[in-house]
Amino acid sequence: MRLTAQHLIADVGCGTGLLAEIFLRNGNRVIGVEPNREMRLAGERCLAGYANFSMVEGSAESTTLNDASVDFVIARRPFIGSGHRKPAPNSPAS
């Protein structure tokens, strides 16, 4: 399958949305999945200008998304368990 702007993307471990923004600029609808509350809030703030972005509380083990509800799943880097990631000192969440 080739990626087109019509594809729905799930960004697991979305954080502040660095990877999600690439797909948003492509015209994709992106659902960020993030276990850490502070990182979810930071991602929502950073990507607030994109109407086709939404964020949900979830983890790689339990995204809360329905089975087969997205076309692509992306992850910028692996993360360990729910809630273990903390915002960097200079990130929008700090």
Side-chain angles (χ1 to χ4, degrees):
M1 179 186 303
R2 290 183 68 110
L3 176 70
T4 68
Q6 290 72 42
H7 287 119
L8 174 58
I9 310 294
D11 183 356
V12 178
C14 184
T16 59
L18 292 174
L19 183 57
E21 189 167 24
I22 294 168
F23 293 90
L24 291 165
R25 287 181 184 166
N26 186 55
N28 295 96
R29 182 170 164 239
V30 177
I31 302 170
V33 178
E34 175 58 50
N36 181 282
R37 181 179 184 277
E38 291 81 15
M39 294 300 285
R40 270 194 319 277
L41 294 173
E44 289 170 344
R45 281 192 304 272
C46 289
L47 300 175
Y50 293 97
N52 51 343
F53 177 75
S54 60
M55 182 78 84
V56 298
E57 180 177 359
S59 66
E61 299 83 7
S62 178
T63 65
T64 72
L65 302 175
N66 292 327
D67 290 348
S69 63
V70 300
D71 299 303
F72 289 92
V73 177
I74 59 172
R76 181 168 169 251
R77 60 182 172 188
F79 60 100
I80 302 170
S82 298
H84 288 265
R85 293 174 49 204
K86 300 294 182 201
N90 295 325
S91 77
S94 32

